[in-house]
Each structure stands twice: as C-alpha cells, then as structure tokens.
C-alpha cells in the first residue's frame, strides 16, 4: 500500500489518481464526523463531499507537517461550523416557524412517553444540536472519534485548556438537556 | 490536595482516561473526600455513557462504491486546485530584512491611503466612472463575483493552512493577492450604490479589514499573527457571508447580471 505522505505529495503535484486514493481512504471517517457535526444523513453526505472539494482546493497550502487525517478533520470541523451557521441563518431568515421544531427534528415529549430507541436517538440529537459549534466539535471528536484532547487542540488550533473547558461545558449541557432520562437511565442532575 | 476548581479542570481528562500519575492520584483523592465534586463527576460520567446510545445512519455499500467518482467529478467541474506560485527567495532571510519590509509596507500603505482618499485621485475617478456608467452592470457583477471568489480562495488558504507551516513564500503570495484585491475593492464599493447592495458593500468592507491585516502581517517566531487574521475571519463569519452572497447571486444569475459566473458555487454530486 502506498504511504499516505506519498499520495499527498503526488496529489499536490496534480495527480488525480493519488487524490482519489486519499478520498477512498478517508471518506468514511469524514462522513462519520460530518454526521456527528450535522446530526442527519443528508447534511452529512453533502458536507463530506464538500470537504473533499475544499481539501482539493486547499491542497497547495497543505505543507505536510501535520497528518493528512488531522488536516481533513480540521477542514471538516470548519465546514461543519460554516454549514451550521448558514443553516441557522437561512432558517432564521426564511422559516421562523421551523425553529420551534428544533430544525425539523422531533420535539421532546413527556419523559414517560419517550421510551423507544428512536425517541432516545432524537432526544440525543436534539441535545447535541443545543451545543455551541465549538462545544459540539470538541465533544464529538473526543467521544465518538476517540481523539486525545491534545490532538483535538491541534485540529482546532486552540490551547488544550480551551478544549477541556469546551468539553466540560458540553457535557454539562448535555446532562441538563437529557435530565428527563435521569430516573430511567441513572443520569445524575447537572 | 487539589481544589474543587482544579478538580473540574481535570474532570474531562479523567472521564476519558487521559489522567495519569500524580494528577490521577490527586483527582481520585479529591473525589473520595468531596461529595459535591464526586456527584458532579458521576453525573458527567453517566451522561457520557448515555451518549453511547446514539446511532449513526450509515449509507449502504452502493453509496460508497460511487463516492470517489462523484467527488472527482465535482473537482473536474470546479476546476483544478489553484497552485501557489513560489518566488525563488534565499533560504535564510535576515531578521533586519523583515524590519525593512515592514517599513516599506507601512510606507506603501500611507502612500496608497493618500492616493485613494485624496480628492480627484485616479482610483476614485475610476470608481466614479463605474458608478455613473449605467451601461455596465454586467461588468460590475463580474467584478464582484471574481472579487468574492478570489477572496474566498485566499481566506480558505489561511483558515485551512497549517499553523506551523506558514512560510514567507506562501505569505508573500497571499499578501500580493490581498493587495490586489484591496485595490479592486475600492472600485467595486464605489460602484455598489443601490440601497439593495448595502449588504454586499458591508461584506466588502469587512473583507477589506481582513485583507488589510493579511497584507501587513509579518511572520515572527512565537507570534501567531496569522492566527489574528484567522480569528477575524471566524468572528466576522466572512466565509459564511461570502457563501450566502454567492448563493444569493446564483439564485438570480442571468436576470440581474447577464454574464455572472462563480466558480465556487455548490456542485451537485
């Protein structure tokens, strides 16, 4: 298997096959991160493809001092934040009524009626959508992508202490939003 | 023993098993002796465990089998990556040269400022002629599209560039482009005189601030000047606003502007 650095070098020199190989190697984790940042499949598909277009466009500025995957994580997070802002803007501008439904997702019902997995899923997505873009990025990178805090700091280009405080606040907010599951699933009160 | 505040600082690392050695010992000791912090930590731990119930909606194999083709097709439609042209510069540039370069930049800034804002200046006249020329809305729209597209490319390069790899050559290339766009921005702003173009004018003003910063920064070890520019891009949502403007323009490409084209519009994949 050709090394990643070699492929990146070839891609930077305009080799489409090399870039294609890089896409194939990283498409699933980019999609997964896009899903974690957007919370639905359609947006994740759009975002992940947009990430590769942006990556291709920005290839000349990629100097290879960090790993290709780290760089892609950074592009995905930035694109996710932009997409979220844009979506929020569009919803605010053109569809104020839809805000009441939490971006079209299921609205929370009374705790005793939320029992099945689908409703838990909807509630978790709703809780994630309540995080700030930075909080959400840090939480999903640490929790769902198992990246160490130091690497997250590198990806987001911030201090590790900042990552820790984002993560702390993210978990506190999630805990508060998911408080209705406190009794059923043993969540403590935030 | 650590304080409750220190405990909270360490809690995220402890949750994900990133604490070791004396930090971990002190953390555990505090947890044993402080019921409030212990409850706080237990709550966070159970929340994190609960988040594992989340499921990801994965596309099937059919989606993945054509994925790379769709991406490559999108790339072909949007055109090749823009190559950064590096000028041959000496390997080691002495520190004093940066100082002189900074002085020259300031002098150039003063000169350009006086040229732009002095009454009867050439750029102003050029702008005025555009402003009064009602026969050329297409050229204004094309200038705006090109201005936004080029600005976006530069800013993407800044935002997605690696912090440690910012070379003088790359910066010089971005600075040249920024200065050129600053020149164009003055002309374009003057031509955007309708009330419905106010938002676009404001976007160009915001862009000018960022481009001016970029055009005048200097790379020095330990001083993250590029980070200030990145911060400005992020705080002002510049890329988002450019995208919004491009979306708006793409909704009415021909009716309003005739020959409007944008190479960075969304490509259906």
């Amino acid at each position: 298997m050709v090394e990643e650095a070699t492929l990146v070098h070839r891609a930077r020199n305009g080799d489409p096959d090399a870039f294609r190989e890089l896409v194939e190697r990283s498409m699933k984790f980019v999609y997964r991160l896009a899903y974690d940042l957007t919370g639905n499949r359609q947006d994740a598909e759009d975002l992940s493809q947009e990430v590769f277009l942006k990556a291709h466009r920005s290839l000349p500025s990629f100097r290879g001092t960090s790993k290709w995957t780290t760089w892609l994580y950074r592009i995905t997070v930035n694109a996710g934040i932009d997409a979220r802002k844009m979506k929020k803007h569009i919803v605010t501008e053109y569809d104020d009524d839809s805000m009441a439904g939490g971006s079209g997702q299921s609205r929370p019902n009374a705790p005793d009626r939320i029992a099945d997995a689908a409703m838990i899923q909807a509630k978790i997505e709703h809780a994630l959508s309540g995080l700030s873009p930075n909080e959400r990025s840090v939480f999903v990178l640490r929790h769902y992508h198992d990246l160490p805090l130091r690497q997250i700091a590198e990806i987001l280009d911030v201090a590790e202490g900042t990552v820790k405080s984002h993560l702390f606040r993210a978990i506190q907010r999630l805990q508060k939003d998911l408080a209705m599951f406190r009794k059923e699933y043993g969540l403590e009160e935030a | 023993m650590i304080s409750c505040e220190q405990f909270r600082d360490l809690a995220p690392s402890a949750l994900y098993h990133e604490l070791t050695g004396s930090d971990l010992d002190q953390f555990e000791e505090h947890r044993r002796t402080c019921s409030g912090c212990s409850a706080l930590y237990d709550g966070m731990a159970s929340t994190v465990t609960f988040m594992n119930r989340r499921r990801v909606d994965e596309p099937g194999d059919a989606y993945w089998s054509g994925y790379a083709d769709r991406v490559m097709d999108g790339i072909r439609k949007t055109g090749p990556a823009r190559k950064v042209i590096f000028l041959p510069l000496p390997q080691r540039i002495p520190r004093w040269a940066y100082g002189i370069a900074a002085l020259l930049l300031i002098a150039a800034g003063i000169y350009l400022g006086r040229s732009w804002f002095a009454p009867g200046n050439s750029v102003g006249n050029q702008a005025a002629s555009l402003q009064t020329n009602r026969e050329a809305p297409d050229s204004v729209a094309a200038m705006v599209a090109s201005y936004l597209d080029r600005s976006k490319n530069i800013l993407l390069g800044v935002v997605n560039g690696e912090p440690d790899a910012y070379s003088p050559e790359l910066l010089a290339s971005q600075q040249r482009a920024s200065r050129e766009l600053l020149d164009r921005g003055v002309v374009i702003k003057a031509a955007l005189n309708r009330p419905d173009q106010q938002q676009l004018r404001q976007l160009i003003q915001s862009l000018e601030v960022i481009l001016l910063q970029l055009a005048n920064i200097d790379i020095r070890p330990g001083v993250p000047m590029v980070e200030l520019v990145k911060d400005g891009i992020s705080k002002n949502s510049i890329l988002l606003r450019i995208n919004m403007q491009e979306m708006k323009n793409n909704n009415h490409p021909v009716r309003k502007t005739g020959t409007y084209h944008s190479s960075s519009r969304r490509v259906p994949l």
Side-chain angles (χ1 to χ4, degrees), chain B residues 176-209:
Chain B
R176 272 195 305 278
S178 299
R179 281 181 215 117
E180 194 187 317
L181 285 170
L182 281 166
D183 287 348
R184 284 196 199 179
V186 175
V187 178
I188 292 172
K189 262 195 317 180
L192 298 173
N193 49 10
R194 293 203 314 264
D196 63 330
Q197 292 171 328
Q198 190 188 356
Q199 212 174 359
L200 183 55
R201 252 193 330 267
Q202 285 170 348
L203 170 60
I204 291 173
Q205 279 167 356
S206 302
L207 267 168
E208 279 179 338
V209 174

Side-chain angles (χ1 to χ4, degrees), chain A residues 12-14 16-17 19-20 23-24 27-28 30-32 35-37 39 41 44-50 52-54 56-67 71 74-75 78 82 85-86 89-90 93-94 120-121 124-125 127-128 136 139-140 142-144 147-150 154 157 160 164-165 167-168 171-172 174-175 178 181 185-189, chain B residues 8-13 15-18 39-40 42-61 63-65 67-72 74-75 78-84 86 149 152-153 156-167 169-170 174 199 227 230 234-235 237 239-240 243-244 247-248 263-264 266-267 269:
Chain A
R12 285 192 68 219
N13 287 327
D17 292 336
F19 188 77
R20 185 197 168 89
V23 171
E24 285 181 343
M27 60 191 183
K28 288 196 176 175
V30 168
Y31 169 83
R32 175 65 198 250
Y35 189 95
D36 291 335
L37 293 170
R41 186 170 156 178
E45 289 178 3
D46 289 347
L47 185 65
S48 65
Q49 287 169 343
E50 191 184 327
F52 286 114
L53 295 185
K54 282 187 175 171
H56 188 264
R57 242 179 154 176
S58 305
L59 262 179
S61 69
F62 180 64
R63 312 288 287 170
T65 53
S66 66
K67 284 177 68 181
W71 191 60
R74 184 181 301 150
I75 293 177
N78 284 338
D82 282 350
K85 282 180 186 168
M86 186 178 289
H89 188 92
I90 290 167
E93 195 169 327
Y94 301 111
I120 289 176
Q121 175 79 7
I124 287 177
E125 292 300 344
L128 281 171
R136 183 169 185 154
F139 180 78
V140 301
R142 178 56 270 202
H143 190 75
Y144 295 119
L147 298 184
L149 296 172
R150 185 175 296 176
E154 188 192 341
D157 201 14
E160 197 175 329
K164 285 180 187 172
S165 61
L167 184 57
F168 184 86
I171 297 170
Q172 290 277 295
L174 291 172
Q175 192 176 346
L178 298 168
F181 298 106
Y185 298 101
L187 293 192
E188 302 295 328
E189 194 165 9
Chain B
R8 286 161 62 103
D9 288 344
L10 294 175
S13 306
L15 273 175
Y16 290 99
H17 313 290
E18 287 196 39
L40 173 98
D42 289 345
M44 291 175 76
S46 53
T47 302
V48 162
T49 305
F50 185 75
M51 293 304 284
N52 290 334
R53 289 173 172 269
R54 180 173 181 259
R55 296 287 169 262
V56 173
D57 187 2
E58 299 274 7
D61 289 342
Y63 176 78
W64 291 122
S65 63
Y67 187 92
D69 287 336
R70 292 194 296 276
V71 169
M72 298 311 290
I75 288 168
T78 52
R82 286 159 176 78
K83 292 213 169 192
V84 177
F86 296 107
D149 197 39
K152 189 173 163 181
N153 285 330
L156 275 173
V158 173
V159 169
N160 294 325
E162 293 170 284
D164 298 334
Y166 234 90
S167 64
E169 294 88 349
L170 176 60
Q174 290 176 336
Q199 212 174 359
E227 300 314 305
K230 277 190 191 178
S234 168
K235 276 185 182 156
S237 307
L239 289 169
L240 168 71
N243 283 339
M244 292 297 296
M247 278 173 65
K248 202 181 279 183
S263 63
S264 61
R266 190 93 178 79
V267 177
L269 292 168

